[in-house]
Amino acid sequence: MLILEDGNIFKGYGFGSDKETIGEVVFNTGMTGYQESITDHSYNGQLLTFTYPLIGNAGINRDDHESVFPTTKAVIVKEYARRPSNWRSQMNLDEFLKEKDIPGLSGVDTRRLTKVIREHGAMKAILTDATEDVEKYLKKLAETELDHDQVAQVSTTRPYVSPDNGRKVVVIDFGLKHSILHELNKRSCHVTVLPHDTKAETIMNLDPDGVMLTNGPGDPTDLPEVLNMIQAIQPQVPVFGICLGHQLIALANGARTYKMNFGHRGFNHPVKEIATGKIAFTSQNHGYSVEKESIDPNQLRVTHLEINDGTIEGLRHRTHPVFSVQYHPDAAPGPHDAEDLFDQFTELMDSWKAGNKDA
């Protein structure tokens, strides 16, 4: 059973790990990319519901992981493919979830579950094999407080390098997706990945050409120490923020964030670039957003908006070489409309470096 804190109950068939788990239940609207979603650390602590009815039909392969040790709390589907068909497949979804100790639930009316979340918002839920005494579990849910150290749970604890011979980029890991490293390496960037709590002095001692602030889970206001780091480095080096990194840049420059009702999670979110009117379909996974009214126009300029609900999707600093987007331009498995943002980042690094040399 999946028991929601509002009393809704969904019964189905267990697969994957058989452990009981509690977390925030959310939904993803993507028709593809289930492997990338399950291994995305932005889903840390969450029970991930797929709205597409059949999940796992292409199996699991070695190439599409966004992390080695996924921390998604559970996977909820209408139906999972027991016999996948794809030349890259190495195991089915059930085998993968067992290997990673992630419980699954199938046979669920995911359409009804999604409607509940849309109406009442993302909420706490427990996945259990119990068949009675629901009141006990509702009490347990009411007494459970969701974690506030989610980034610390998924960030690397030690620096490591993804080598190349080109630009020196420092990546601050708040729960990064491996596809970010792939995109930087494709553009001749020598990447040094650092823990989320790295100090500004340590970052600048590496003499980077640019700094990337990655995606990650949880509430950005749980990371006040990171704001000091951003304020210290942003006048000195180009900074590019993605998802949680975008929210942290906003907070560091005086804006506020808020928790959305059910967030944006999927691969089909249309975003408009204000300057050009260009529309990009984007990959998104976030439950918090930047409050439009809190933005200081003397500090930040809004560059992108979500077409469906008008939420802030992009920012650029007025005086520092800093920009950010709420969505994922690395976008594995797609769409790839926004890949050029990595090119913009490399161009910004090159022009900033050339400008400093000229000075």
Side-chain angles (χ1 to χ4, degrees):
M1 290 195 297
L2 177 71
I3 305 171
L4 276 57
E5 64 176 312
D6 69 350
N8 271 290
I9 297 174
F10 294 82
K11 296 182 179 181
Y13 302 94
F15 68 107
S17 171
D18 61 1
K19 71 178 182 181
E20 182 176 286
T21 189
I22 295 179
E24 182 182 47
V25 62
V26 299
F27 65 85
N28 180 298
T29 59
M31 295 175 65
T32 60
Y34 55 85
Q35 180 175 338
E36 291 88 341
S37 295
I38 294 169
T39 56
D40 180 354
H41 278 318
S42 293
Y43 285 110
N44 178 60
Q46 295 179 325
L47 284 66
L48 174 56
T49 303
F50 288 100
T51 61
Y52 191 69
L54 178 61
I55 298 297
N57 52 312
I60 301 291
N61 65 73
R62 68 175 189 177
D63 301 322
D64 293 338
H65 295 309
E66 291 290 0
S67 66
V68 178
F69 303 106
T71 56
T72 302
K73 277 291 186 74
V75 173
I76 302 164
V77 300
K78 173 68 174 176
E79 179 183 358
Y80 78 92
R82 291 166 176 80
R83 297 180 180 178
S85 176
N86 186 276
W87 66 275
R88 295 195 301 158
S89 177
Q90 296 173 302
M91 65 181 74
N92 66 26
L93 182 59
D94 178 47
E95 293 167 332
F96 175 71
L97 294 184
K98 282 185 169 68
E99 179 183 289
K100 300 302 181 181
D101 197 26
I102 299 173
L105 185 68
S106 69
V108 173
D109 185 349
T110 52
R111 181 179 176 85
R112 184 169 77 88
L113 175 55
T114 300
K115 287 182 175 180
V116 170
I117 298 171
R118 280 170 46 189
E119 182 176 349
H120 301 289
M123 67 187 84
K124 291 181 289 185
I126 184 168
L127 181 59
T128 176
D129 61 3
T131 57
E132 55 186 22
D133 203 3
V134 172
E135 290 301 322
K136 180 183 78 171
Y137 289 98
L138 288 174
K139 182 181 179 182
K140 186 175 182 179
L141 280 172
E143 295 172 347
T144 299
E145 183 177 354
L146 298 178
D147 293 338
H148 290 278
D149 61 343
Q150 292 196 47
V151 169
Q153 294 174 19
V154 297
S155 174
T156 184
T157 57
R158 296 188 177 187
Y160 62 92
V161 171
S162 183
D164 199 276
N165 295 319
R167 308 169 186 88
K168 294 182 292 183
V169 176
V170 167
V171 171
I172 308 301
D173 177 15
F174 300 114
L176 68 79
K177 297 169 63 180
H178 288 172
S179 52
I180 292 175
L181 304 183
H182 295 162
E183 291 298 328
L184 290 171
N185 287 151
K186 277 167 53 178
R187 290 163 175 81
S188 299
C189 293
H190 176 87
V191 180
T192 302
V193 182
L194 300 180
H196 75 283
D197 55 357
T198 304
K199 304 299 183 185
E201 182 181 5
T202 303
I203 296 169
M204 297 311 300
N205 283 342
L206 293 173
D207 190 28
D209 296 317
V211 175
M212 167 79 73
L213 307 177
T214 75
N215 63 292
D219 185 344
T221 61
D222 290 335
L223 300 166
E225 69 283 354
V226 174
L227 308 187
N228 296 327
M229 177 272 288
I230 295 172
Q231 291 164 356
I233 69 170
Q234 65 181 9
Q236 305 181 66
V237 65
V239 180
F240 179 22
I242 292 175
C243 198
L244 180 61
H246 158 81
Q247 297 162 15
L248 291 168
I249 286 173
L251 290 173
N253 288 281
R256 296 187 297 270
T257 56
Y258 65 95
K259 184 173 176 60
M260 306 172 75
N261 190 35
F262 50 81
H264 294 162
R265 297 177 179 88
F267 310 117
N268 55 353
H269 290 267
V271 171
K272 178 179 180 179
E273 183 178 24
I274 295 173
T276 64
K278 175 185 174 183
I279 307 297
F281 282 90
T282 66
S283 170
Q284 301 201 15
N285 178 9
H286 62 101
Y288 291 81
S289 187
V290 177
E291 185 181 296
K292 186 182 301 184
E293 294 73 21
S294 71
I295 295 172
D296 181 353
N298 296 316
Q299 294 287 325
L300 299 171
R301 174 167 59 89
V302 178
T303 58
H304 297 76
L305 294 173
E306 216 272 7
I307 290 178
N308 290 326
D309 59 14
T311 51
I312 302 296
E313 291 287 339
L315 295 168
R316 185 174 290 271
H317 202 283
R318 292 286 186 181
T319 56
H320 302 319
V322 176
F323 72 104
S324 63
V325 291
Q326 182 63 79
Y327 48 94
H328 294 259
D330 51 294
H336 303 291
D337 297 17
E339 276 186 342
D340 66 314
L341 288 169
F342 285 97
D343 298 321
Q344 293 181 33
F345 183 42
T346 57
E347 291 166 5
L348 178 60
M349 287 189 284
D350 293 344
S351 61
W352 179 260
K353 190 173 184 178
N356 284 343
K357 283 182 177 180
D358 293 342

